[in-house]
Amino acid sequence: MIPAPFDYTRPTTVEDAVTALRAGGAGAKVIAGGQSLVRMLQRRLVRPTLLVDVGCLSRMREVVEEPDHLVIGATTTQHELLHDARVRAHAPLLSLVARHVGDPAVRHRGTLGGSVAHADPAGDPPAAVLALDGEIIVEGPRGERVIPSAEFFVGPFRTALEPDELLVGVRVPKMGEGWTVHYEKFRLSAQKPTLLGVAVMVRRVGDCFTDAHIALANSGSTPVRATAVEVALVGADVTEEAVTKAADLLDGTMEPFARQGVSQAYLAHLARVLTRRAVVAALSW
Amino acid sequence: MTGFEVRVNGRTHDDAPRPGQCLRTYLRGHGWFGVKKGCDAGDCGACTVHVDGTPVHSCLYPALRADGKQVTTVEGLATDGELHPVQEQFLAAQGFQCGFCTAGFLITAAALDDEGRADLPRALKGNLCRCTGYRAIEDAITGVKHVEEPADGEAVGRNLGAPAGPQVVTGTARYTFDVDVPGLLHIKLVRSPHAHARITGIDTAAALAVPGVRVVLTHEDAPQRLYSSAQHEIVEDDPCDTRVFDDVVRHVGQRVAAVVGETEAAAEAGARLVRVDYEVLPAVTDAHAAMRPGAPVVHDKDPVEARIARPADNVLAELHDEFGDFAAGLAEADAVYRGTFRTPRAQHAALETHGALAWFDAETGRLTVRTSTQTPFLTRRSLCALFDLPESDLRVVAGRVGGGFGGKQEMLVEDVVVLAALRLREPVKLELTRSEQFSGSTTRHPFTVEVEVGAKADGTLTALRVHVVSDTGAYGNHGPGVLFHSCGESIAAYRCPNKRTDAYAVYTHNVPSGAYRGYGLGQVIFAVESALDELAHRLGIDPLLLRERSAVRDGDPLTTASGAEEDLLIGSYGLDQCLDVVRAARAEPVGPVPGGWLVGDGAALSMIATAPPRGHFGEARLRLLADGTFELSVGTAEFGNGSTTVHRQLAASALGVATSRVSIRQSDTDLVRHDTGAFGSTGVVIAGTAVLRAAEAMVGALLGAAAERSGVDVSRCALVGRGVDCGGRVVPFSELAAGEPLTTTGHCDGTPRSVAFNVHWFRLAVDPGTGEVRVLRSVHAADAGQVLNPMQCRGQVEGGVAQGFGAAVAEHVDTGADGAVTTAAFRQYHVPTFADVPRTEVHFADVTDPLGPLGAKSMSESPFNPVAPAYANALRAATGVRFTDLPLTRDRVWLGLSRD
Ligand SMILES: Cc1cc2nc3c(=O)[nH]c(=O)nc-3n(C[C@H](O)[C@H](O)[C@H](O)COP(=O)(O)OP(=O)(O)OC[C@H]3O[C@@H](n4cnc5c(N)ncnc54)[C@H](O)[C@@H]3O)c2cc1C
Ligand code: FES
Ligand code: FES
């Protein structure tokens, strides 16, 4: 199928990109890796009149180390997330999750910013960014704004981004002492989209959990935090029983956007089993 | 856009892409035909190319972005005439069958780093192969070699490489669409949004106003004549219920009109603007409901003219037969099992979609149709009948075909291109998209099978009954054939004095079903093999023992519920050897199993006739060329199954020459007399016999000619590699070629027929927490008679097992309440990837069949058939749960376990 016709521009600065988006109005759309957008164009699910290619904006391609944070440029590819030494050292959850995205060709093109802006409820990177309490850095005609990830994802394929705003980067805290991470991805078969994903970061001191961040992919219309499980884990002993007890608090009322034909009972059960397994796996990370 | 420039394989292209054009179509537009389309959605990897050294799916890559970049396609992998190492490796391991996926695999493999090589399942996730089952691809990437180069005349039984191998790995093999026809027009189809409706009007004005749109063809332009899209030797095997474009639509996705444009974009824009008015009619999408009184009638036609058994009841065909006395047999039984089994709609998912081109020869005025088909001759016959053309005015030819699996034993596009070509007298092309392939081609017939089986305490069967309902969809193509075949060898495989069959092929307003690997057998075998296994459990007998006791033995008659088929017999018998293989595998210790997982094993067997009933014609011709080599022409098509390789082996062996001295032409109605084509597993047994006969005749002709030339008595003449030894003097073939032209033909009519056997065995581990299942071991034993090319035969088995595995665990075409296909992309349908398919150990029985060429039997459809029941039987052993509905997805397995 052939996309509807559109104009194409390839700005070289963030300012020019924002200006182009603004000028293009409602018909303007950013293209990053194109791994989700081109399919939507071909099937005419979106029909932009102008594509703003952000592939040449060097500022958005950088990974910048701050004292306690890492700022990852929006056009950092999933391949780079997987291999960049700073990401691996300071935000290993993002490297782990990138490993699970698509295939090598997709990872060479697809970007972190694209995954986050696309906001597929079954997307893997959004769940990781949410578990990390990442912040989304945005540039628009009104200047820069920083949106906490908890406020960024507002619905299936919907975010707090305005049409004339550009996602320029994602800021995540550097992983501190005692933290370990895991991403558990479950699919009905290898090429199917994520049926359920669990991003886990836990911190233990001695035999006790002191912190837990858990976010689920494809458990609602956005990635969601498993708050009840997190609360139950903090202060709990590091034992399989305690983890099971905490994971069983998931209430099973999730309403995934893409159900893939499976029953609610199965999803609810999977969420508990996989959350338990993800926490246990994080402990042995 | 100014100054666009891209380097492709060292060559510069500087014409700017069209807005929105992806790199894939840009590259193909510049003649880089090695770049293939399997999906245009990033799912299959057939379009993979390197951009500045990194692999990308070119269908998801905006062409504009290639500005200033270096692109490498498969055609650019070789440097200075030296193949790239991965190309050498794919040749040496024969890491392909149809080869449509190969360019993508080569490009991905060429860019693998150590991490990728260490984790192939993950690294190859973006590349689909429907033919091989991936083992051959793994061998290619890891450098295992299989291809041999045997001495002259010793090709049979050896691992000869496919003749097209060098073209496949360099991207120069020419598939259907890989031709540059000047002035080609493009067709896009308008399809029905309704399950059942009468067309009350079509307004084409807006479409015709689109610049570049040449014509819109509707039911008013189509012949009134009815036909079937199914292609069979005997036309009357299928109902007459289809029109090129009909004024009644009977399923969502049915063709309504064709828009012909100067570009694909113009045709597509036009297709969007065709306005169709429909009077929506009531529809029925459930086969059981369709048979109830008062159900909407799908085909209100005359039963005799249309060849429909009971049109008013939506029954296309039915079968009611009894052999012995079923009720009495049941009464005698010590244990009875009764169960209902369901198999879903499935898609062939050949990587090359359907499509065809048609053009007129400027000088002769003859029409050529180039199409992705399994049956060039039958398609020509159908087209000629439909459009009143003499056969001499039409040539049907296939390029290399990118997979078929039954789906291309069907005329789904050729009628449209011919209609358009006849109207416009210009070259035209129609290439289906992947989503049209799902919603507008054909599927495997969904079956509901009720089985009732009784046995004595020792496992001797006393009664076997099946009740089958097959959903043939909106059209009856292959409906009767699939139904009759489904109740054939599946029932005849067991000795049981009392058998009964009641079977119905039913019309519904669903996407039509069609021929699919196994041709109905797999559906009923799933039910029968599951039922026998369950019966064994209930009797407390080893399920394998029950099979050994009750399966047919050498010398037994083959009886279905309708009695014995006249020309079908056990020509040779290797089932006992196959069962022994499984018994031995089963006795070996279980390897490591993850903690808490359940383990079990199970087997299933299947039998298949080595050719379809009532005549299947193979035709071959051999010609001695001036240079002393031979040209072999075969009528049948090759679509990845490797029959061409075997034909060359058979001819070279009979002639005592090196295989390189036999060139092959095929799949072209201009080459030989009528040939039925490639279906019903006939490539080796029937076409191969024809080849062998042509070669044997050639041997006689060569000896005769040499005797005459040398004056030496023919009894003292013998073939010696490149010529004939006539009492000490060698007359070279090239010298013989200078005399009378030597041409011989070979013919086979496909009767009598033998049977082949397959037994599959799985050992599985099941995670009760999630329903995930891991295959610990997969063993397949096949009775293929004499194996003419072990490497290829193994490939056929592995490919069949992989497809059977997909059907067992993952694949299902879903439809909405209105019958519309809701899984119209690979991402929703899911063809197994490298990571999903287990490696299978393949064993061959040592058997020689007196009926097949040099003792061979068929082995193309059959490996598929026992896979799903073996899997379900192993699951039963592991979990205690009898699963009756395919596919056995993780959620279903978990539900089954948690219900217990
Ligand atoms: C075969 C295949 C398999 C895949 N498998 C997975 C998987 O397993 N898990 C997974 O999570 N994803 C998967 N994906 C999706 C993939 O990860 C996409 O790359 C990702 O969702 C989008 O990133 P992109 O850079 O390609 O964005 P694009 O496709 O270019 O854009 C996506 C959307 O985000 C917007 N956008 C992009 N960048 C910005 C920006 N900087 N500012 C504002 N808006 C922006 C675009 O306008 C568009 O609406 C798969 C895709 C394919 C083709
Ligand atoms: S055609 Fe590009 S991935 Fe299938
Ligand atoms: S050989 Fe891979 S799809 Fe045919």
Side-chain angles (χ1 to χ4, degrees):
Chain A
M1 288 226 259
I2 299 167
F6 51 76
D7 286 331
Y8 175 85
T9 174
R10 185 150 48 165
T12 50
T13 66
V14 168
E15 292 67 39
D16 288 352
V18 170
T19 308
L21 277 179
R22 174 151 213 171
K29 197 111 184 88
V30 173
I31 177 163
Q35 298 303 290
S36 294
L37 185 62
V38 174
R39 288 157 51 110
M40 297 194 293
L41 290 173
Q42 281 173 346
R43 283 189 269 157
R44 301 201 178 199
L45 298 174
V46 288
R47 307 181 56 161
T49 49
L50 172 71
L51 278 194
V52 180
D53 186 339
V54 295
C56 288
L57 307 182
S58 47
R59 179 182 148 198
M60 280 169 54
R61 194 142 205 148
E62 289 166 2
V63 175
V64 178
E65 207 175 325
E66 296 178 351
D68 299 321
H69 289 87
L70 215 51
V71 180
I72 302 168
T75 54
T76 305
T77 63
Q78 280 127 12
H79 178 83
E80 288 159 350
L81 288 179
L82 189 51
H83 290 96
D84 185 280
R86 286 157 304 171
V87 177
R88 289 175 80 114
H90 301 302
L93 184 60
L94 285 178
S95 302
L96 269 185
V97 92
R99 207 173 113 81
H100 289 281
V101 174
D103 56 66
V106 169
R107 291 197 290 273
H108 275 120
R109 301 298 314 156
T111 67
L112 176 61
S115 282
V116 172
H118 189 47
D120 181 343
D124 302 301
V129 170
L130 184 67
L132 280 159
D133 278 335
E135 295 167 315
I136 317 301
I137 306 170
V138 166
E139 279 284 350
R142 298 158 296 279
E144 187 185 285
R145 23 183 216 139
V146 175
I147 312 170
S149 50
E151 292 163 25
F152 185 78
F153 302 105
V154 300
F157 307 99
R158 283 189 17 243
T159 68
L161 211 58
E162 298 292 337
D164 57 2
E165 285 180 324
L166 197 61
L167 195 169
V168 293
V170 177
R171 178 191 280 125
V172 296
K174 286 183 178 172
M175 193 169 82
E177 270 304 288
W179 285 91
T180 53
V181 297
H182 184 72
Y183 187 69
E184 184 80 21
K185 171 160 169 158
F186 191 86
R187 285 161 300 186
L188 289 177
S189 46
Q191 215 189 30
K192 284 228 163 178
T194 305
L195 182 61
L196 202 86
V198 189
V200 167
M201 310 171 47
V202 288
R203 183 157 172 248
R204 65 189 278 186
V205 174
D207 289 334
C208 192
F209 287 105
T210 59
D211 262 306
H213 294 191
I214 298 172
L216 306 184
N218 204 34
S219 262
S221 55
T222 65
V224 289
R225 287 284 283 263
T227 317
V229 184
E230 294 176 351
V231 169
L233 277 181
V234 174
D237 288 345
V238 178
T239 61
E240 201 148 349
E241 296 72 61
V243 175
T244 306
K245 216 169 128 203
D248 283 347
L249 292 173
L250 281 172
D251 64 5
T253 56
M254 70 264 280
E255 286 187 14
F257 184 70
R259 181 175 274 286
Q260 298 182 32
V262 311
S263 67
Q264 187 71 27
Y266 183 57
L267 278 169
H269 170 82
L270 266 188
R272 294 186 198 110
V273 170
L274 297 180
T275 299
R276 167 166 58 81
R277 288 185 184 177
V279 174
V280 171
L283 288 170
S284 57
W285 185 62
Chain B
M1 181 105 197
T2 51
F4 177 89
E5 192 177 291
V6 59
R7 301 268 299 162
V8 182
N9 302 328
R11 241 186 276 161
T12 303
H13 301 298
D14 58 8
D15 54 316
R18 297 188 298 274
Q21 185 172 27
C22 67
L23 185 58
R24 181 187 76 73
T25 58
Y26 183 86
L27 291 169
R28 285 186 60 86
H30 288 78
W32 301 110
F33 291 130
V35 183
K36 296 287 185 272
K37 175 209 78 179
C39 67
D40 263 353
D43 295 329
C44 76
C47 67
T48 312
V49 300
H50 291 163
V51 176
D52 286 347
T54 47
V56 302
H57 298 309
S58 62
C59 67
L60 292 185
Y61 193 97
L64 276 168
R65 282 196 160 176
D67 187 18
K69 311 254 191 226
Q70 304 269 355
V71 173
T72 308
T73 72
V74 66
E75 291 100 329
L77 273 184
T79 40
D80 304 328
E82 289 274 308
L83 289 186
H84 186 284
V86 295
Q87 291 175 306
E88 295 278 10
Q89 287 163 234
F90 268 74
L91 265 184
Q94 190 142 317
F96 58 86
Q97 284 177 25
C98 79
F100 202 78
C101 66
T102 309
F105 273 101
L106 287 167
I107 290 282
T108 303
L112 282 181
D113 54 13
D114 290 342
E115 194 188 323
R117 262 187 294 273
D119 188 0
L120 289 180
R122 196 178 281 277
L124 299 178
K125 207 185 116 190
N127 292 86
L128 293 179
C129 174
R130 188 54 155 172
C131 301
T132 61
Y134 301 100
R135 191 271 315 155
I137 291 172
E138 178 170 20
D139 281 359
I141 293 174
T142 55
V144 179
K145 296 188 172 72
H146 296 291
V147 171
E148 304 174 291
E149 283 181 21
D152 293 2
E154 291 175 9
V156 162
R158 308 292 293 275
N159 294 333
L160 227 85
Q167 287 84 48
V168 167
V169 302
T170 51
T172 52
R174 289 291 170 253
Y175 295 80
T176 313
F177 311 112
D178 303 342
V179 282
D180 193 8
V181 179
L184 192 63
L185 303 175
H186 300 264
I187 302 178
K188 287 285 168 187
L189 296 172
V190 177
R191 293 179 179 277
S192 165
H194 301 295
H196 191 197
R198 184 179 315 283
I199 295 174
T200 54
I202 302 187
D203 182 353
T204 60
L208 287 167
V210 173
V213 167
R214 300 287 292 278
V215 72
V216 179
L217 301 166
T218 70
H219 64 89
E220 292 181 357
D221 307 282
Q224 287 293 339
R225 198 164 275 155
L226 292 171
Y227 62 96
S228 174
S229 65
Q231 301 301 306
H232 278 121
E233 182 58 42
I234 300 173
V235 176
E236 290 73 28
D237 280 358
D238 297 284
C240 231
D241 60 4
T242 305
R243 273 185 74 192
V244 181
F245 297 114
D246 207 334
D247 55 354
V248 174
V249 288
R250 296 183 178 85
H251 70 94
V252 176
Q254 179 171 330
R255 313 181 308 195
V256 169
V259 180
V260 189
E262 284 158 14
T263 61
E264 245 181 290
E268 200 177 301
R272 282 174 207 282
L273 294 174
V274 173
R275 246 201 60 199
V276 186
D277 294 321
Y278 295 98
E279 177 199 338
V280 176
L281 303 170
V284 58
T285 54
D286 175 84
H288 291 86
M291 283 195 285
R292 281 183 212 127
V297 174
V298 181
H299 286 279
D300 185 9
K301 295 189 163 67
D302 178 75
V304 177
E305 255 173 51
R307 300 189 287 268
I308 298 171
R310 288 189 276 130
D313 303 322
N314 290 320
V315 173
L316 163 63
E318 59 191 320
L319 193 65
H320 303 281
D321 276 317
E322 189 159 329
F323 179 80
D325 182 341
F326 174 75
L330 207 62
E332 263 178 59
D334 292 322
V336 172
Y337 171 74
R338 188 174 171 177
T340 302
F341 298 82
R342 290 175 197 85
T343 62
R345 211 167 253 108
Q347 239 288 330
H348 312 80
L351 227 49
E352 181 191 50
T353 58
H354 281 90
L357 298 88
W359 65 85
F360 284 94
D361 185 290
E363 274 152 39
T364 62
R366 264 180 103 212
L367 183 61
T368 296
V369 175
R370 179 182 170 93
T371 173
S372 189
T373 184
Q374 298 173 217
T375 59
F377 289 83
L378 297 182
T379 302
R380 177 179 64 172
R381 190 178 69 186
S382 299
L383 288 170
C384 289
L386 183 56
F387 294 102
D388 283 323
L389 298 170
E391 291 204 344
S392 54
D393 281 4
L394 179 63
R395 173 181 178 208
V396 176
V397 53
R400 194 169 170 83
V401 175
F405 314 111
K408 293 174 182 171
Q409 189 193 344
E410 208 94 50
M411 184 170 74
L412 298 175
V413 285
E414 297 89 341
D415 48 350
V416 177
V417 294
V418 170
L419 181 69
L422 288 174
R423 166 68 75 94
L424 294 166
R425 312 288 304 179
E426 285 183 75
V428 291
K429 169 183 157 183
L430 170 59
E431 176 178 357
L432 296 194
T433 63
R434 180 55 59 189
S435 100
E436 285 182 293
Q437 197 69 29
F438 276 107
S439 49
S441 71
T442 60
T443 69
R444 188 178 190 217
H445 285 76
F447 269 48
T448 305
V449 185
E450 216 179 279
V451 189
E452 199 170 8
V453 54
K456 291 288 203 195
D458 66 354
T460 312
L461 300 184
T462 59
L464 174 60
R465 181 181 71 85
V466 292
H467 179 279
V468 174
V469 175
S470 160
D471 179 353
T472 199
Y475 291 91
N477 46 306
H478 296 285
V482 163
L483 189 78
F484 300 151
H485 189 227
S486 77
C487 300
E489 296 97 289
S490 55
I491 307 296
Y494 286 97
R495 340 170 85 186
C496 174
N498 308 297
K499 297 177 176 175
R500 178 157 184 95
T501 302
D502 294 281
Y504 306 84
V506 184
Y507 280 122
T508 59
H509 292 104
N510 286 313
V511 58
S513 308
Y516 190 102
R517 194 176 205 155
Y519 215 62
L521 264 190
Q523 290 94 318
V524 174
I525 287 176
F526 170 63
V528 169
E529 289 296 308
S530 296
L532 289 178
D533 197 81
E534 195 54 40
L535 189 65
H537 282 289
R538 294 188 180 188
L539 283 167
I541 304 182
D542 170 10
L544 208 56
L545 192 68
L546 181 132
R547 286 191 175 77
E548 273 164 353
R549 289 210 177 128
S550 50
V552 285
R553 294 181 207 154
D554 204 1
D556 280 355
L558 293 172
T559 48
T560 64
S562 357
E565 275 186 82
E566 231 168 59
D567 73 331
L568 186 66
L569 57 136
I570 302 181
S572 58
Y573 186 80
L575 177 61
D576 47 349
Q577 294 180 44
C578 293
L579 288 168
D580 285 347
V581 167
V582 164
R583 195 173 276 292
R586 204 172 62 157
E588 284 165 32
V590 182
V593 178
W597 290 46
L598 311 167
V599 179
D601 63 75
L605 66 82
S606 67
M607 180 175 85
I608 193 167
T610 57
R614 294 175 301 121
H616 190 114
F617 301 102
E619 191 68 35
R621 202 184 58 200
L622 202 56
R623 198 151 67 98
L624 175 62
L625 303 180
D627 62 356
T629 65
F630 297 88
E631 181 191 77
L632 174 63
S633 300
V634 286
T636 197
E638 144 102 48
F639 50 99
N641 41 349
S643 53
T644 314
T645 320
V646 171
H647 295 159
R648 194 191 207 187
Q649 281 175 276
L650 287 167
S653 279
L655 295 166
V657 301
T659 47
S660 60
R661 300 186 72 76
V662 180
S663 56
I664 293 216
R665 300 171 64 194
Q666 65 198 359
S667 323
D668 181 344
T669 54
D670 274 3
L671 285 179
V672 292
R673 289 190 310 167
H674 178 79
D675 182 292
T676 305
F679 61 89
S681 309
T682 51
V684 167
V685 170
I686 290 179
T689 300
V691 167
L692 197 60
R693 289 181 180 157
E696 282 161 355
M698 179 56 83
V699 171
L702 290 168
L703 294 178
E708 200 177 297
R709 212 173 177 74
S710 63
V712 175
D713 189 77
V714 85
S715 62
R716 293 176 53 224
C717 296
L719 294 179
V720 286
R722 297 199 172 193
V724 184
D725 182 332
C726 304
R729 181 175 95 80
V730 174
V731 181
F733 291 146
S734 52
E735 198 180 313
L736 293 177
E740 278 284 289
L742 285 185
T743 301
T744 57
T745 56
H747 175 78
C748 176
D749 62 7
T751 190
R753 302 171 296 141
S754 186
V755 286
F757 294 94
N758 296 73
V759 181
H760 200 97
W761 175 80
F762 281 114
R763 178 171 280 145
L764 304 177
V766 185
D767 175 3
T770 60
E772 182 181 340
V773 177
R774 279 191 209 152
V775 175
L776 301 177
R777 246 184 114 183
S778 167
V779 174
H780 192 99
D783 166 19
Q786 279 299 305
V787 177
L788 303 179
N789 185 324
M791 168 183 75
Q792 282 198 168
C793 202
R794 176 180 175 199
Q796 281 298 299
V797 171
E798 290 166 333
V801 169
Q803 208 168 19
F805 189 75
V809 310
E811 296 180 37
H812 49 105
V813 172
D814 290 346
T815 51
D818 60 354
V821 171
T822 56
T823 48
F826 280 143
R827 189 156 309 185
Q828 287 133 18
Y829 177 70
H830 183 71
V831 166
T833 66
F834 189 103
D836 297 302
V837 180
R839 294 294 166 266
T840 293
E841 302 154 40
V842 179
H843 303 260
F844 293 111
D846 183 7
V847 166
T848 299
D849 194 79
L851 303 176
L854 306 184
K857 299 202 254 190
S858 57
M859 196 45 55
S860 49
E861 298 181 79
S862 58
F864 179 99
N865 292 334
V867 176
Y871 191 89
N873 292 343
L875 265 185
R876 161 69 166 89
T879 64
V881 181
R882 171 58 57 191
F883 291 92
T884 54
D885 292 11
L886 293 181
L888 301 166
T889 52
R890 293 175 174 185
D891 55 315
R892 282 190 176 165
V893 171
W894 178 80
L895 268 182
L897 281 171
S898 55
R899 226 184 271 128
D900 231 46

